Amino acid sequence: MGIGLKDIVIPAATAMVSASVLFVVRGIAFRLLHKWAEKTETRIDDIIIRSLKVPSVYWCIAIGLYIGVAVSDFPEKYVFYFSRAIHVIVILSITTAAANLSGKIFKNYIQKSDLPIPTTGLAYGILKGTILVIGFLIILSVLGISITPLITALGVGGLAVALALQDTLANLFAGIHILVEKSVRVGDFIRLETGQEGYVEDITWRTTRIRMLPNNMVIIPNSKLSQSIVTNYYLPEKRMALLIPVSVSYSSDPEKVERILIEEAKKAVGEIPGLLGEPEPFVRFIPGFGDSSLDFTLICQVQEFVDQYLAQHELRKRVFKRFKEEGIEIPFPHRTVYLREEREWKK
């Protein structure tokens, strides 16, 4: 039995009208939702609205097609194929919306909470990937495709894939290991054994990105990072000791030098950003007796690694000015050279 033009036009017109009405309803609904979201303090409703905006277009189209097929006189075989296609569209759009929504809510929740879980591209990708795989399996089930042979084929071909993607898989599992171990976290200031140092910007499925102080980006494979010797300046805490060497002449009084250094360091607390008063600054007569000077070390605490630069800059200026006022000399290195006459040398 053939299908006439009338049998196609009426269902198509019905589908288009139904979809158009649904688009109008969708637009009104999203306007009302946006107005409501603006009145709330939480960002969750904004995230939900943004995540559903694109998938809702496919839902309108799918429902319009479903209504068009329902009023048609198509043979049962065509209705079956149309229904499967509509189901696939709906499931795929719901899966995409759920993956995006869960990822954004996960990031928002972790950023607002104090949980020690990094919101990295790797964690975000694993969460979205899991939801997408589940959606793909549901689509296969709707299409009547058994997933058992697929799993068997993947198991047989898994060895070949693992060998072909050896480096990629090594980086992936190294990234997971870094996240679980938490020895390097997003936001930490670290130094690599090669000398580069900076803030950890992101840990992705393949690489870790480190933003250096000159605002350059170092990109290192996760497998290399997991095997490297890394100094993390944010573990066990951000606060760190700042050691400033100070040298004075042998004619200086060590007690007076120590007192001046401590006084200047204490006065600078609260005036120099990042310089801490607790634990209190102190001085040690170390390294001690130099070739041409008495060598001291002023030890104080700064809030985090990058605060040391400004603290050293300001403290050295204050100490230099105070030494001038107190008449304490900062010596220049010097050497004594003895010369002998040539005839004495020959003897």
Side-chain angles (χ1 to χ4, degrees):
M1 182 179 178
I3 301 176
L5 181 62
K6 181 181 177 182
D7 296 330
I8 297 176
V9 171
I10 293 177
T14 304
M16 292 179 63
V17 171
S18 302
S20 300
V21 172
L22 289 172
F23 276 124
V24 173
V25 173
R26 169 186 172 275
I28 296 172
F30 272 104
R31 285 178 187 171
L32 295 174
L33 288 173
H34 277 300
K35 290 181 179 178
W36 170 74
E38 290 174 357
K39 298 178 182 179
T40 60
E41 296 181 359
T42 178
R43 292 184 63 248
I44 298 297
D45 46 13
D46 298 305
I47 293 173
I48 294 174
I49 293 171
R50 284 198 300 268
S51 299
L52 297 180
K53 207 163 189 178
V54 175
S56 62
V57 174
Y58 296 102
W59 299 341
C60 293
I61 296 173
I63 294 174
L65 290 175
Y66 184 80
I67 295 173
V69 171
V71 300
S72 69
D73 294 328
F74 292 159
E76 186 176 347
K77 179 177 67 173
Y78 296 111
V79 172
F80 174 78
Y81 289 138
F82 272 117
S83 298
R84 287 290 177 87
I86 292 169
H87 289 158
V88 170
I89 292 173
V90 172
I91 294 171
L92 184 60
S93 61
I94 291 176
T95 301
T96 306
N100 293 331
L101 180 61
S102 60
K104 290 177 181 177
I105 291 178
F106 170 76
K107 279 189 173 182
N108 181 71
Y109 175 73
I110 297 302
Q111 288 171 357
K112 285 191 173 182
S113 65
D114 295 328
L115 296 176
I117 303 174
T119 57
T120 65
L122 179 57
Y124 180 73
I126 290 174
L127 180 62
K128 287 188 65 175
T130 302
I131 296 175
L132 291 174
V133 168
I134 294 173
F136 177 70
L137 294 177
I138 294 174
I139 289 175
L140 291 180
S141 178
V142 169
L143 294 176
I145 301 174
S146 177
I147 63 174
T148 303
L150 178 62
I151 295 174
T152 304
L154 290 175
V156 173
L159 181 60
V161 173
L163 291 174
L165 302 176
Q166 185 175 1
D167 292 339
T168 301
L169 293 176
N171 288 318
L172 173 62
F173 287 111
I176 295 174
H177 171 74
I178 292 170
L179 288 178
V180 173
E181 189 182 39
K182 299 173 187 174
S183 57
V184 175
R185 305 162 300 181
V186 173
D188 287 355
F189 192 95
I190 65 172
R191 174 179 289 169
L192 305 175
E193 62 179 339
T194 52
Q196 294 100 334
E197 60 184 20
Y199 292 97
V200 179
E201 285 286 304
D202 197 5
I203 303 174
T204 66
W205 62 273
R206 185 179 178 275
T207 60
T208 296
R209 299 173 185 176
I210 303 170
R211 180 172 56 85
M212 301 176 67
L213 293 179
N215 207 29
N216 301 323
M217 193 74 74
V218 175
I219 301 174
I220 177 172
N222 292 330
S223 58
K224 298 289 185 182
L225 181 63
S226 63
Q227 297 172 6
S228 300
I229 299 174
V230 179
T231 303
N232 192 331
Y233 291 100
Y234 277 16
L235 289 178
E237 58 182 339
K238 291 185 179 181
R239 177 176 61 85
M240 62 172 287
L242 171 61
L243 283 68
I244 302 178
V246 178
S247 300
V248 297
S249 68
Y250 269 91
S251 61
S252 304
D253 181 8
E255 297 290 341
K256 183 179 179 181
V257 173
E258 181 179 358
R259 176 175 56 80
I260 291 173
L261 291 175
I262 293 176
E263 286 177 359
E264 290 301 318
K266 287 184 176 180
K267 283 194 297 184
V269 173
E271 299 178 4
I272 300 177
L275 183 64
L276 302 178
E278 291 293 337
E280 290 188 353
F282 60 94
V283 175
R284 291 294 179 263
F285 193 6
I286 297 173
F289 302 102
D291 293 338
S292 56
S293 61
L294 299 177
D295 299 326
F296 294 81
T297 301
L298 172 61
I299 304 169
C300 47
Q301 301 288 322
V302 291
Q303 193 167 350
E304 61 175 290
F305 181 84
V306 294
D307 292 330
Q308 65 174 311
Y309 302 113
L310 179 61
Q312 289 188 61
H313 170 72
E314 292 295 334
L315 283 173
R316 285 195 170 107
K317 288 196 303 182
R318 291 168 182 249
V319 168
F320 182 71
K321 182 179 179 181
R322 182 69 182 277
F323 278 179
K324 273 191 170 183
E325 294 174 355
E326 299 288 341
I328 297 176
E329 180 187 354
I330 300 177
F332 295 98
H334 62 273
R335 294 287 186 274
T336 302
V337 180
Y338 296 94
L339 300 177
R340 291 187 294 182
E341 294 184 4
E342 185 177 354
R343 57 186 178 181
E344 292 181 352
W345 175 257
K346 292 180 179 179
K347 290 179 181 181

